[in-house]
Amino acid sequence: MRCDVFTLFPQAFDWYLSQVHIQAATRLGHEFQLANYRDHTPLTHLQVDDTPYGGGAGMVLRIDVVCAALEAVFGGDATKLRRSRRVVELTPKGRQLDDALAEDLAKGDLVLLCGRYEGIDERVTELVSDRVSIGPYVLSGGEIAAMAVLDAVTRKLPGAVSNPASVVSESHASELAGGTEYPQYTRPAEFRGWTVPEVLLSGHHAEIDRWRARQVGKG
Ligand code: ADE
């Protein structure tokens, strides 16, 4: 998978992209690229946004700037990009991210478009294949949402997470039929009187499996 993130704040991704599973995915041949809209703006004074038509608060990321950035990175016509890869706008108006969508997005190349301020000019719909939200609340920009999408998607790439079983049994994976994962405990077995369920200390794997199966979905 190749994933290109378009943002006004590429430095916001520095920590995230240095994480082990991203590094592991990179070693497997997956590619993560950042592009700053401002580096490709056709406007003077590095302008990227403008006031909204009709008035109102804030600034809107310009569609000509978004197109210019996409065309600088990929060449060709930005409206055709969605034919070869998923082009995703991060927006609170989008379809809510879930495990199935993460799995689907992991199947091919990906472009993530982060908005800022009041978001991207609505004509971005001419460019995107998907509009994705990470929840019913408004963030200051798409960067945190893009990292959430990237994280969920990268965990679906075979080999990116060192223990594949941990991905399968994870909360919300389809193998749990939408349920949440069973609770996890580690040492010490007792702390301040708080104990670990006896069965987990028993070494009896069949019983442990049954206990875990009963816990799934209890939240
Ligand atoms: N940008 C601002 N808020 C967002 C959200 N909830 N999801 C995705 N992108 C966003």
Side-chain angles (χ1 to χ4, degrees), residues 89-94 113 115-117 132-146 149:
E89 180 201 7
L90 284 316
T91 165
K93 295 181 206 161
L113 301 178
R116 268 274 148 179
Y117 320 120
V132 172
S133 162
I134 61 160
Y137 40 79
V138 179
L139 302 167
S140 311
E143 286 73 18
I144 290 171
V149 170

Side-chain angles (χ1 to χ4, degrees), residues 105-127:
L105 293 176
K107 289 180 181 150
D109 292 341
L110 199 55
V111 172
L112 300 178
L113 301 178
C114 303
R116 268 274 148 179
Y117 320 120
E118 294 305 304
I120 306 179
D121 184 302
E122 187 67 15
R123 290 167 286 181
V124 73
T125 51
E126 303 288 343
L127 309 176

